[in-house]
Amino acid sequence: MNRVKELLQQRGMEVFDLSKFWKKRSNYTILTEQLAEFISQARFEKAVLIPDSPDSGFEMSIIANKFPGVRAVLCSNAKQVQKARANLDANVLIMGQRYTPESEIPLMLNRFLNTKYTQVRSRQRRFIEQLSRIEAERHRASIIKSKEEALREVLTPDLAISDLDYTL
């Protein structure tokens, strides 16, 4: 972790080191959720997560990918990172400490920070478009659900939600 922090700071980047909050292993769930929320809200453009547990990287990627606009990838070498950035527009890099060779870290960070999303292949472009559509639909559905829940609180037993005419 310190090596990653040092490499990023050498590039003049501001680093938010969340490792001090990882006193309990269960904290990674909360921290991953918070970080994904920041990415989803465009408060951070990119993020790097380095779990200390061998399986936490899988769990972190699942959690992070629940948020709209987050494309988290678990990678163990620079080629994977480059493909994830170029083809999938990945914005969260997860590097497992046990599976990522120390010598590979500088190149992985370089590829993550410098590789541009290319949209070269139509298959990847379609995937990103479909993913964006799914995210938008799920977000819209959650807004509708929230409105329906709010309406249920004020409805009388005589009035059903289907009787109401409301729009977003």
Side-chain angles (χ1 to χ4, degrees):
M1 175 59 187
N2 287 334
R3 177 83 172 122
V4 172
K5 184 177 176 180
E6 178 183 302
L7 290 167
L8 293 172
Q9 287 173 332
Q10 286 173 357
R11 292 173 150 261
M13 303 182 90
E14 189 172 5
V15 176
F16 295 94
D17 184 356
L18 302 176
S19 64
K20 61 185 171 193
F21 300 108
W22 291 52
K23 292 183 173 105
K24 296 180 185 173
R25 238 182 239 282
S26 61
N27 285 1
Y28 76 84
T29 306
I30 297 163
L31 293 172
T32 303
E33 179 182 6
Q34 186 63 58
L35 184 94
E37 185 74 29
F38 288 163
I39 295 282
S40 186
Q41 296 171 351
R43 291 172 68 184
F44 294 154
E45 185 179 329
K46 293 179 185 167
V48 177
L49 292 170
I50 305 166
D52 60 352
S53 164
D55 297 327
S56 298
F58 299 121
E59 296 161 354
M60 290 172 129
S61 63
I62 290 169
I63 293 165
N65 284 314
K66 298 288 184 189
F67 290 80
V70 174
R71 293 184 183 92
V73 291
L74 176 62
C75 297
S76 58
N77 64 59
K79 185 171 182 133
Q80 291 173 334
V81 173
Q82 185 170 358
K83 285 188 168 287
R85 282 287 307 133
N87 297 337
L88 303 174
D89 198 20
N91 54 10
V92 177
L93 172 61
I94 303 169
M95 296 187 287
Q97 283 187 6
R98 291 191 186 174
Y99 301 117
T100 305
E102 182 84 21
S103 61
E104 212 39 37
I105 291 174
L107 188 54
M108 289 174 72
L109 287 173
N110 188 47
R111 298 248 173 107
F112 182 63
L113 297 171
N114 295 324
T115 302
K116 303 290 183 216
Y117 174 50
T118 59
Q119 295 186 16
V120 172
R121 296 187 179 133
S122 61
R123 182 173 60 89
Q124 278 92 11
R125 186 173 49 251
R126 273 194 316 273
F127 172 78
I128 295 296
E129 289 168 358
Q130 291 169 343
L131 182 59
S132 296
R133 178 188 52 77
I134 290 167
E135 288 173 344
E137 287 173 3
R138 290 189 51 80
H139 180 68
R140 184 176 175 350
S142 70
I143 290 172
I144 290 171
K145 183 178 177 184
S146 296
K147 277 195 155 197
E148 287 178 352
E149 288 170 355
L151 287 170
R152 278 194 185 96
E153 292 177 7
V154 297
L155 294 176
T156 64
D158 307 323
L159 186 61
I161 287 182
S162 60
D163 297 332
L164 299 174
D165 180 28
Y166 65 92
T167 57
L168 292 176

